[in-house]
Amino acid sequence: MSTETDQSAGAEKRRGPRLSKAEQTARARSRLLRATLDLIGERGYQRASLAAIGERAGYSRGVVNFHFGSKAALLATLVEEMFERWSRTAIGPVTDASNTIDAMCASVASVRDQASEAPVESRAFYLLLFEALGPLPELRPRFAALHESIRRGTADRIRAGIEAGHVRSDIDPDAQAALQLGAIRGIMYQWLLDPEQLDLNRLFDELQQNVRSSLQPVRTA
């Protein structure tokens, strides 16, 4: 085998096996979504242009349009993937909980852990959440649907706890679900605005205590 052939084989080995068209598409989409998330977290929505996203991912602007059609569609996909990933992360703690209140506290803790472990991703999510009320109205229905799903799941968990005797029977499950989600969103927004002044662990520990005290059945003597 010639030296030239040896060099070519070596380069091919370094590149690894050739990807199929489907694998190339999946990799490109993954890189573009990651680049979008990072740029929004670093610069905000307005400065995360398609050109900047393509450059960060190692592609051209045209590749972004080819895979997603528009920036709005790209952002919608990003939001859904973030939520799905966070939901999968939260499943373990909730499943391992011994009762409804433990499960709800575990769910609260998972939000804190996600924020601590992936601050750029959390910042991007909340930036897009609030942009949905302004320059990104096309994302509003998607965020509304995500939040409705969270509230419904929490309310169903509370109802199951009432039936099992783990949760007070005199509360409104739907209202409690909305209050818990509102508390989480409020804590996160305040922390993102001023992370140096707010202790995220302390705030979420207190929220867990509030969940327990508001849901636990009243013990009679």
Side-chain angles (χ1 to χ4, degrees):
M1 182 180 291
S2 68
T3 301
E4 182 178 354
T5 305
D6 289 341
Q7 291 174 342
S8 176
E12 184 67 27
K13 184 176 181 180
R14 287 193 298 272
R15 285 196 297 268
R18 186 182 299 275
L19 299 177
S20 68
K21 187 173 182 179
E23 290 171 331
Q24 292 175 13
T25 297
R27 184 169 69 174
R29 287 174 64 89
S30 177
R31 286 181 175 178
L32 291 168
L33 288 167
R34 183 70 231 184
T36 304
L37 188 154
D38 289 341
L39 285 172
I40 291 175
E42 295 167 8
R43 306 179 182 179
Y45 156 73
Q46 297 290 352
R47 296 179 61 193
S49 65
L50 291 181
I53 291 168
E55 181 180 357
R56 175 66 68 92
Y59 301 106
S60 67
R61 172 177 178 163
V63 172
V64 182
N65 285 321
F66 174 78
H67 285 287
F68 295 96
S70 67
K71 186 176 181 180
L74 170 62
L75 295 177
T77 303
L78 177 63
V79 168
E80 290 174 359
E81 290 210 352
M82 280 193 290
F83 182 75
E84 289 175 5
R85 184 161 57 253
W86 290 351
S87 296
R88 290 194 299 270
T89 302
I91 287 174
V94 171
T95 302
D96 293 340
S98 60
N99 60 45
T100 297
I101 296 178
D102 288 341
M104 293 181 66
C105 288
S107 180
V108 168
S110 73
V111 177
R112 176 202 60 207
D113 295 342
Q114 290 156 5
S116 300
E117 294 166 8
V120 173
E121 187 168 352
S122 296
R123 177 175 171 78
F125 181 86
Y126 279 87
L127 283 169
L128 292 174
L129 172 63
F130 287 99
E131 294 286 6
L133 293 175
L136 290 173
E138 61 272 18
L139 289 183
R140 185 174 179 177
R142 294 178 182 271
F143 274 112
L146 290 176
H147 284 83
E148 193 278 332
S149 175
I150 295 171
R151 292 193 303 271
R152 183 175 63 249
T154 303
D156 287 345
R157 194 174 298 138
I158 293 173
R159 290 188 181 92
I162 292 173
E163 293 179 2
H166 300 152
V167 175
R168 289 168 46 193
S169 61
D170 61 336
I171 63 172
D172 182 334
D174 295 311
Q176 287 293 325
L179 287 171
Q180 180 174 320
L181 180 57
I184 290 171
R185 292 288 180 259
I187 289 172
M188 285 299 302
Y189 186 59
Q190 292 180 77
W191 175 70
L192 288 167
L193 284 174
D194 197 3
E196 297 300 323
Q197 293 297 319
L198 293 174
D199 184 335
L200 196 64
N201 288 325
R202 179 183 177 187
L203 293 173
F204 273 94
D205 286 346
E206 192 67 21
L207 178 56
Q208 288 177 301
Q209 291 299 318
N210 287 347
V211 168
R212 289 190 182 280
S213 62
S214 64
L215 298 184
Q216 284 178 340
V218 177
R219 303 299 180 186
T220 57

